[in-house]
Amino acid sequence: MNTFIFKYIISFFCLLGINELVFSQNTATDFNANDCDGNAHHLFSELDSGKVVVMVWVMPCGPCASYALDAYSAVESYATSNPNQVLFYLVDDYANTTCQSLHNWANNFGMGSCIKFSDPSIKMSDYGQNGMPKIVVVGGANHGVYFNQNSSTTGIENAIDQALLGTNTLLPSKESNSTYIFPNPSHGEIRLLTNRNEFQPIEFQIYSINGKLMIENTINQHEKIQLKALPNGNYILRLKENFDYKKMMFNLNR
């Protein structure tokens, strides 16, 4: 069976939803590779410097584009809060597509500016079951794998938040029912990392340290709280949690 037919058979099974979440390992596989612009990348060096890398393997093909674009948009949403810290790698699945073809495909779907690879050293098989697209989030000093799914981006922003923290132990556990502000200090927006029911709205208020109410609203778990209207300084976040109110302090420093 030639490679062209094989790749489209895999794409067909992706559309049927046969690809599932599979973890073959808890840590990333290191590589040294040149991107399609000739720039050298050493994965572990980038992770050690505090970067989080979102790798998306594509054929490329039309059905791959939707989830790849979702992942790309998730990465772009960190451009303000974590500038140049969350990277998006678009990788040809079996390194048998030319860089020019990969660039044309990415450009057609609005991802032309991302980092692209067609290099056999970046193997999706290192992360379990192959699938297009395959989406993996790696980061932290432990070079951890925080997200590993085929044809899904559900929960990817939570995974990126965890990778930015660098360790799962800093996140709220199922037993603790805790909530954290991230990032803190903030550069203009914050998220609430929590184990609440994803569909349960979160009521919150933000006060100045002098007790003046600055913002009051309700958000869903993964929404960002925009702080653009506030001047730099220290603030108190007050939110309703388990029929009680919790207060947390954070710093805004653009």
Side-chain angles (χ1 to χ4, degrees):
M1 181 183 298
N2 65 41
T3 302
F4 178 84
I5 296 174
F6 176 70
K7 291 173 76 171
Y8 275 86
I9 289 175
I10 291 176
S11 176
F12 174 74
F13 281 114
C14 289
L15 292 176
L16 290 179
I18 291 176
N19 287 307
E20 299 175 351
L21 173 64
V22 179
F23 290 93
S24 63
Q25 57 188 48
N26 295 320
T27 58
T29 298
D30 197 15
F31 62 77
N32 286 282
N34 290 334
D35 64 30
C36 284
D37 292 323
N39 300 311
H41 296 264
H42 177 215
L43 179 63
F44 280 8
S45 293
E46 293 182 326
L47 301 187
D48 291 341
S49 70
K51 307 289 187 184
V52 171
V53 177
V54 178
M55 294 184 285
V56 180
W57 283 266
V58 296
M59 296 177 65
C61 64
C64 303
S66 176
Y67 293 111
L69 186 56
D70 286 348
Y72 178 76
S73 297
V75 170
E76 288 295 292
S77 72
Y78 288 83
T80 299
S81 61
N82 300 84
N84 301 315
Q85 192 175 2
V86 184
L87 307 178
F88 182 88
Y89 288 177
L90 186 69
V91 187
D92 183 58
D93 53 358
Y94 297 110
N96 55 3
T97 299
T98 66
C99 279
Q100 185 60 53
S101 295
L102 190 61
H103 174 77
N104 291 342
W105 182 87
N107 195 53
N108 286 339
F109 289 100
M111 296 178 284
S113 62
C114 70
I115 302 171
K116 309 168 196 69
F117 294 88
S118 185
D119 191 301
S121 65
I122 311 176
K123 301 175 182 177
M124 64 178 164
S125 58
D126 288 337
Y127 300 92
Q129 183 179 358
N130 292 345
M132 267 62 71
K134 185 171 191 68
I135 302 168
V136 173
V137 176
V138 296
N142 62 342
H143 308 151
V145 178
Y146 292 86
F147 187 90
N148 183 355
Q149 293 199 25
N150 298 345
S151 300
S152 175
T153 55
T154 301
I156 191 170
E157 291 188 349
N158 242 13
I160 294 172
D161 290 342
Q162 292 180 28
L164 287 167
L165 284 173
T167 171
N168 287 316
T169 60
L170 295 179
L171 293 173
S173 66
K174 292 182 179 179
E175 293 76 21
S176 68
N177 201 32
S178 299
T179 302
Y180 297 89
I181 296 173
F182 181 82
N184 189 7
S186 166
H187 301 297
E189 58 191 23
I190 57 175
R191 299 174 188 267
L192 300 180
L193 301 188
T194 178
N195 64 345
R196 293 165 174 263
N197 186 311
E198 184 175 353
F199 302 103
Q200 179 183 356
I202 300 173
E203 302 173 17
F204 73 93
Q205 298 91 34
I206 294 178
Y207 293 87
S208 70
I209 57 174
N210 297 321
K212 180 181 178 181
L213 179 63
M214 309 297 290
I215 300 176
E216 183 173 18
N217 209 338
T218 300
I219 60 169
N220 294 322
Q221 178 175 330
H222 299 300
E223 283 187 89
K224 299 174 184 176
I225 299 175
Q226 298 295 333
L227 306 173
K228 295 177 181 178
L230 301 181
N232 288 348
N234 293 317
Y235 294 91
I236 298 171
L237 176 72
R238 181 176 181 265
L239 62 112
K240 190 173 183 180
E241 188 172 75
N242 279 350
F243 306 102
D244 198 1
Y245 286 91
K246 180 175 182 177
K247 293 181 181 180
M248 296 174 285
M249 182 173 288
F250 69 92
N251 175 260
L252 175 60
N253 184 11
R254 295 183 184 85

